[in-house]
Amino acid sequence: MKAFFLLLLGVLPFGILSAQESNRKKGGATAMFVDPLVKVFKYSNDLQEIKPVADVAKGEYASFQFVYRSGTAIKSLSAKITGIKGERGGTISNSMVKFVGYVKQGKYTDKPATDIIRSKDGTFPDPLYEQQSIAVDAGDNQAIWLTVPITAGQQPDLYHGELVVTAVTANGEQQSVKKNFDIKVYPVSVTKQTLWVSNWASFLSPSSVVMKNPQASKMYSDEYWTALKAMADKMNDYRQNVVRIEMLKVITFNKGNNGHYSFNFERLDKMMGLFMQSGIKRFEGDFVAQKMTDWAGPLGFVMPADAGDAVSRKLVTVNDADNNARQFYKEYLVALYNHLKQKNWDDIVFLHVSDEPTQQNPKAYKDMLAFVRSVVPDMKIIEAINQPVPIDVDIQVPLLSYLRYGALPKFEKQRAQNKGELWYYVCVSPQYNYPNRFLENPLIKTRFLHWTNYKYDLTGFMHWGYNIWTGYPFDFSTSNSVGGDAWIVYPKDGKIISSVRLEAMRDGIVDYELLRLLEKKNPALAQQIVNATILDFDKSNTDIGTFRTNRRKILTALSN
């Protein structure tokens, strides 16, 4: 009997999927919940139906993914949550229903992971459209994303909700499907965040903040500040708490007749204040220098050519005695630091010296760092470090793959000596089986970015691309980078909208905080769970069912 039952379990998914496929070919509809960590393609016919239960803490979001597919073209597919009620009488409100959209892939990685997802039609599910309804072609899957905020004051309980999906065909025929889902809210709170998260954003142009009419508006207009505040709020909603500002493009400055510079920080103050109102806690500043030629070449000062609203840039070599770059930076850095000190912001602003200094030419970076330290010795410095050698900065941010090859103990020793912080970053690399946020990766690997933070005691995360849109943002072939690398949000209807990858990142940040809480209560269990999940820098257990079980263990242990 046991053998027959196990055989039945193995055959059951195929039977369910065969019935779904048969129903679709006959023009009927299939509708079911699938795990939100599953990427649902338009053509997917191997989806596994799940019992929709979200196990959550107070202060996070419950997410569900519902898939509707019909053999008949749908003119209008809409969905709504009719109510979420607890068994003790409480309710949950302000839930949102979004539609998963599709983007063109663009480049795949040069060193693909063993579990790479290759799209059959060249598109990947990613953006989350915030609209009332959507049209669906015959035979295509349409994923519907449910987002339910769990407030800090939500009563722990088991809550029951109902989703109603309505499909209207071209000839006006209507069909509605009702499905129930559950949310278990544990007596655990994750309102406080200890992990530092920075996604570099572009916001120094009207189009980058998705102003309603960027052609008719100007930088620093009332409409610009309103749009920037909306962007800041979106960042905060997704637990980003560090923002990089190209400060020399924001402030104004002039060179007087006496040959010295004067600086006006009014716009920078307004910008930082706006971000802080939205919950941003720290800021990254400019790069003092850039590489002059190739990756391993000499460094040059990023020298402003003029002042005013549009500040152009040119590179001036360190050894060029005929320029005033050193004078400018001596005056600018001192003025900036003194201003930050006066505003009590000197502890929350971190300057960059040069992006990704390399092992091939370490002297160029050390010389530039020495210059900055000589001018403003107390200015805090953060650096994305593209070499396995520790550098004396306040926040070291090595590339994740370098930590794997024996560099982690060196960085940890340096951190202990200067009492600095150790983060990590990913970008177009590392590839292969490392966690990253590429479109081609399973979503669970994007979520695992912050399990990696916890595993190796890395207290911050950095990525270069929040909204570095090029060409058409819904087509990653317009980017020179790997699909998913340059941006993780999209512009739509005058707003910035989320993606399934950004949802996974936010959930991963919450997982990090839950593991930190468990570490205080039961460190052995925290290590047991993370070690069974993240096996090495480039090795993890990506089975979704196992992951859900382990996360439930964390919540249960914290509730006892």
Side-chain angles (χ1 to χ4, degrees):
M1 184 67 181
K2 180 179 180 182
F4 173 77
F5 180 69
L6 292 174
L7 179 63
L8 182 61
L9 284 178
V11 173
L12 185 59
F14 176 79
I16 291 175
L17 296 172
S18 297
Q20 291 171 358
E21 186 66 14
S22 176
N23 194 31
R24 179 172 70 97
K25 290 179 178 178
K26 293 177 182 178
T30 58
M32 61 180 176
F33 279 99
V34 301
D35 196 286
L37 283 172
V38 173
K39 289 190 174 181
V40 177
F41 293 84
K42 294 179 182 179
Y43 55 79
S44 298
N45 59 10
D46 57 350
L47 301 172
Q48 300 289 326
E49 186 170 12
I50 63 165
K51 182 179 179 181
V53 180
D55 297 280
V56 294
K58 296 184 292 181
E60 66 167 320
Y61 290 79
S63 296
F64 298 90
Q65 186 172 211
F66 186 80
V67 180
Y68 187 90
R69 181 172 64 186
S70 173
T72 304
I74 302 300
K75 179 182 179 181
S76 173
L77 183 70
S78 59
K80 63 179 180 179
I81 297 173
T82 59
I84 305 175
K85 298 181 179 180
E87 294 186 348
R88 299 177 186 174
T91 61
I92 300 176
S93 57
N94 298 322
S95 56
M96 292 187 66
V97 174
K98 305 174 185 177
F99 296 96
V100 179
Y102 295 85
V103 296
K104 290 185 179 180
Q105 156 67 6
K107 293 182 180 179
Y108 284 93
T109 53
D110 296 325
K111 298 177 181 179
T114 54
D115 55 359
I116 183 178
I117 304 173
R118 293 195 182 272
S119 171
K120 295 179 181 178
D121 63 3
T123 68
F124 275 81
D126 202 41
L128 292 174
Y129 294 139
E130 301 174 8
Q131 56 196 53
Q132 296 299 315
S133 63
I134 194 169
V136 187
D137 290 338
D140 282 358
N141 292 313
Q142 178 57 57
I144 301 171
W145 197 270
L146 282 60
T147 302
V148 184
I150 310 300
T151 65
Q154 192 69 51
Q155 180 183 15
D157 196 3
L158 180 62
Y159 294 83
H160 306 290
E162 182 185 66
L163 173 69
V164 179
V165 178
T166 302
V168 180
T169 63
N171 59 12
E173 294 181 359
Q174 180 173 312
Q175 180 183 11
S176 291
V177 177
K178 295 182 180 180
K179 293 283 187 177
N180 296 323
F181 61 88
D182 295 332
I183 300 174
K184 184 175 181 180
V185 179
Y186 288 74
V188 180
S189 178
V190 286
T191 54
K192 183 180 179 181
Q193 182 170 328
T194 61
L195 182 69
W196 297 107
V197 178
S198 178
N199 275 299
W200 291 0
S202 172
F203 48 80
L204 295 184
S205 69
S207 59
S208 64
V209 295
V210 199
M211 292 169 67
K212 294 181 180 178
N213 188 5
Q215 291 78 19
S217 301
K218 296 181 179 180
M219 281 293 295
Y220 309 119
S221 64
D222 290 343
E223 185 182 359
Y224 169 81
W225 291 115
T226 299
L228 186 61
K229 180 62 165 64
M231 174 188 277
D233 289 342
K234 177 71 72 172
M235 290 176 171
N236 179 66
D237 287 344
Y238 285 85
R239 291 184 173 264
Q240 178 170 336
N241 51 12
V242 185
V243 166
R244 176 175 173 251
I245 300 178
E246 295 176 89
M247 296 180 176
L248 273 176
K249 292 183 180 180
V250 178
I251 68 173
T252 57
F253 52 91
N254 291 285
K255 190 173 185 179
N257 294 331
N258 60 359
H260 294 287
Y261 290 89
S262 61
F263 301 89
N264 187 319
F265 297 98
E266 183 177 349
R267 289 196 307 220
L268 178 62
D269 292 348
K270 185 172 182 177
M271 186 173 287
M272 290 179 61
L274 180 148
F275 277 114
M276 285 189 277
Q277 289 173 17
S278 296
I280 302 301
K281 306 295 185 185
R282 282 179 170 180
F283 298 88
E284 300 171 58
D286 300 83
F287 291 108
V288 173
Q290 291 182 9
K291 299 177 179 69
M292 292 288 295
T293 54
D294 58 17
W295 196 248
L299 294 180
F301 286 101
V302 184
M303 184 60 191
D306 49 54
D309 290 344
V311 181
S312 61
R313 294 290 190 268
K314 64 179 180 180
L315 289 178
V316 183
T317 60
V318 175
N319 297 324
D320 189 346
D322 297 328
N323 70 77
N324 67 342
R326 291 179 183 274
Q327 176 201 345
F328 172 81
Y329 272 101
K330 284 179 180 179
E331 296 186 20
Y332 165 62
L333 293 176
V334 169
L336 174 64
Y337 181 76
N338 288 341
H339 180 75
L340 296 174
K341 188 78 172 176
Q342 183 180 22
K343 302 283 290 186
N344 291 321
W345 292 347
D346 52 306
D347 284 336
I348 64 171
V349 175
F350 295 77
L351 190 71
H352 284 276
V353 176
S354 178
D355 193 28
E356 297 178 315
T358 66
Q359 194 176 15
Q360 290 83 355
N361 191 1
K363 185 178 185 303
Y365 182 84
K366 290 180 179 179
D367 288 347
M368 188 63 74
L369 175 62
F371 167 77
V372 173
R373 288 292 195 199
S374 70
V375 176
V376 279
D378 295 326
M379 175 73 80
K380 293 183 178 296
I381 294 175
I382 183 173
E383 212 73 271
I385 301 171
N386 200 347
Q387 61 176 9
V389 179
I391 294 175
D392 183 19
V393 297
D394 297 279
I395 301 180
Q396 303 172 86
V397 192
L399 187 67
L400 179 61
S401 53
Y402 281 128
L403 295 176
R404 181 185 178 216
Y405 294 104
L408 182 58
K410 297 178 182 178
F411 280 110
E412 289 176 333
K413 181 179 180 180
Q414 182 74 9
R415 173 171 58 177
Q417 289 175 345
N418 67 6
K419 298 181 180 179
E421 299 175 32
L422 183 58
W423 300 8
Y424 84 93
Y425 81 100
V426 295
C427 53
V428 71
S429 60
Q431 299 178 7
Y432 189 52
N433 286 330
Y434 287 93
N436 214 314
R437 42 174 255 193
F438 304 135
L439 290 175
E440 67 194 55
N441 279 0
L443 266 181
I444 198 168
K445 281 191 171 178
T446 300
R447 188 162 181 165
F448 280 170
L449 286 168
H450 306 302
W451 283 69
T452 300
N453 272 113
Y454 179 78
K455 166 91 172 184
Y456 299 105
D457 194 25
L458 306 170
T459 57
F461 172 81
M462 179 188 290
H463 195 282
W464 78 280
Y466 178 77
N467 65 330
I468 315 301
W469 302 314
T470 53
Y472 182 54
F474 295 88
D475 182 355
F476 275 95
S477 67
T478 63
S479 170
N480 291 326
S481 193
V482 175
D485 181 48
W487 57 89
I488 197 168
V489 294
Y490 298 86
K492 180 69 171 175
D493 301 327
K495 297 191 298 184
I496 291 176
I497 62 172
S498 180
S499 66
V500 297
R501 292 177 299 134
L502 189 59
E503 303 286 321
M505 272 202 63
R506 177 169 64 184
D507 290 342
I509 296 168
V510 172
D511 295 341
Y512 173 94
E513 300 301 341
L514 290 174
L515 286 164
R516 284 294 184 202
L517 291 174
L518 183 58
E519 179 185 317
K520 295 178 181 178
K521 188 171 185 177
N522 190 337
L525 181 59
Q527 282 301 310
Q528 175 188 331
I529 291 174
V530 77
N531 288 340
T533 304
I534 306 299
L535 310 179
D536 202 343
F537 288 101
D538 62 345
K539 197 176 298 181
S540 58
N541 184 349
T542 58
D543 180 75
I544 295 175
T546 302
F547 170 76
R548 296 295 181 193
T549 299
N550 284 335
R551 192 177 192 276
R552 196 157 45 244
K553 287 180 181 178
I554 297 173
L555 290 168
T556 301
L558 289 172
S559 301
N560 293 332

